[in-house]
Amino acid sequence: MSASNNLPMIIPSKHAWNHCRIIGQKRPLLPKHVWAIRVRLELSKRLRDLALFNMAIDSKLRGCDLVRLRVADVFSAGSVKERASILQSKTKTPVRFEITKGTRISVSDWIAHPLMSGHDYLWPSRFQDRPHISTRQYARMLKDWVMSIGLEPSAYGTHSMRRTKVAQIYKKTGNLRAVQLLLGHTKMDSTVRYLGVDLEDALAISEDVEI
């Protein structure tokens, strides 16, 4: 018998990064979830959170681009723009997005708040060495939002916010090209994978079309 058979079992001191975590693509929020979170933020008068939540839904931006938004990106001539455009940090390509009426109101209220005085970034950090909130802080805020309406936080992430509106657009129209443009993807394959489109989706769309 080999001497190695008598050695004690080695137990790793640290768990794997995905221990007890739900991994894979994060779920988009459903319309009922969006409204439930929005109502709670409005009632609690959390102006920054409400403006950030609404802008995340409308803009469909990655977290790294959302937290870097500047006031000048969305605000001009004394009012919030109906449409805005930024250069994506990941792909270095521009992407445009709409800002709906409710989002414009919440963002305008936040910009007018005394805490925003003198700040260039739309979501300034409380720390002097950081000009804006971090993506990690944004993720923590999202966790609080989903937990406030009884959702499992591990099933949702910052990409849930990015996918929420486009998931509904695709469900209603089946227009992948429109979704690709809204997400700022350079390749259609990326959009297909991002939405999780499969054969059942394609068949469901085809069944609704009669010739």
Side-chain angles (χ1 to χ4, degrees), residues 55 61 65-87 97 99 107-108 110-112 116 118-124:
M55 184 62 77
L61 293 173
D65 291 323
L66 180 67
V67 299
R68 289 188 177 95
L69 278 178
R70 294 176 179 267
V71 174
D73 292 329
V74 300
F75 191 81
S76 178
S79 63
V80 178
K81 303 174 184 178
E82 293 186 4
R83 292 184 180 180
S85 176
I86 69 161
L87 193 68
F97 54 90
I99 306 176
V107 171
S108 181
W110 170 237
I111 290 175
M116 280 295 291
H119 288 290
D120 292 329
Y121 285 92
L122 200 52
W123 327 111

Side-chain angles (χ1 to χ4, degrees), residues 3-144:
S4 62
N5 291 336
N6 297 322
L7 293 175
M9 181 183 297
I10 299 175
I11 302 175
S13 58
K14 294 183 178 180
H15 292 297
W17 69 269
N18 59 351
H19 179 69
C20 294
R21 294 184 183 180
I22 298 176
I23 59 174
Q25 202 169 53
K26 300 297 184 180
R27 303 173 187 170
L29 295 173
L30 298 177
K32 63 180 181 180
H33 299 150
V34 173
W35 284 106
I37 292 173
R38 190 173 283 153
V39 167
R40 280 166 173 75
L41 294 178
E42 288 175 349
L43 291 175
S44 60
K45 300 187 183 303
R46 294 162 65 180
L47 297 184
R48 183 191 65 168
D49 284 33
L50 178 61
L52 177 58
F53 177 78
N54 285 340
M55 184 62 77
I57 295 292
D58 273 0
S59 68
K60 303 164 285 288
L61 293 173
R62 295 180 181 87
C64 58
D65 291 323
L66 180 67
V67 299
R68 289 188 177 95
L69 278 178
R70 294 176 179 267
V71 174
D73 292 329
V74 300
F75 191 81
S76 178
S79 63
V80 178
K81 303 174 184 178
E82 293 186 4
R83 292 184 180 180
S85 176
I86 69 161
L87 193 68
Q88 299 175 100
S89 57
K90 180 178 180 179
T91 62
K92 306 304 179 185
T93 58
V95 63
R96 294 194 57 166
F97 54 90
E98 77 287 357
I99 306 176
T100 58
K101 182 178 180 180
T103 300
R104 293 199 302 271
I105 292 172
S106 61
V107 171
S108 181
D109 289 344
W110 170 237
I111 290 175
H113 195 280
L115 290 175
M116 280 295 291
S117 179
H119 288 290
D120 292 329
Y121 285 92
L122 200 52
W123 327 111
S125 172
R126 296 190 183 98
F127 303 102
Q128 293 184 354
D129 60 334
R130 299 176 187 173
H132 55 74
I133 64 172
S134 65
T135 52
R136 181 167 294 186
Q137 185 176 353
Y138 169 42
R140 287 197 297 267
M141 294 166 72
L142 171 63
K143 181 179 178 180
D144 290 339

Side-chain angles (χ1 to χ4, degrees), residues 132-203:
H132 55 74
I133 64 172
S134 65
T135 52
R136 181 167 294 186
Q137 185 176 353
Y138 169 42
R140 287 197 297 267
M141 294 166 72
L142 171 63
K143 181 179 178 180
D144 290 339
W145 298 338
V146 298
M147 288 179 64
S148 72
I149 60 169
L151 296 178
E152 171 53 52
S154 60
Y156 299 88
T158 56
H159 276 276
S160 297
M161 305 295 290
R162 179 162 155 79
R163 295 178 64 216
T164 290
K165 198 166 187 177
V166 292
Q168 292 301 312
I169 292 171
Y170 176 71
K171 182 179 180 180
K172 293 179 179 179
T173 68
N175 192 331
L176 274 174
R177 175 56 177 165
V179 173
Q180 179 191 9
L181 291 172
L182 292 170
L183 289 174
H185 285 161
T186 55
K187 296 181 180 179
M188 184 65 77
D189 288 349
S190 301
T191 306
V192 171
R193 288 194 301 271
Y194 197 76
L195 285 178
V197 178
D198 56 21
L199 180 59
E200 288 301 318
D201 294 318
L203 289 173

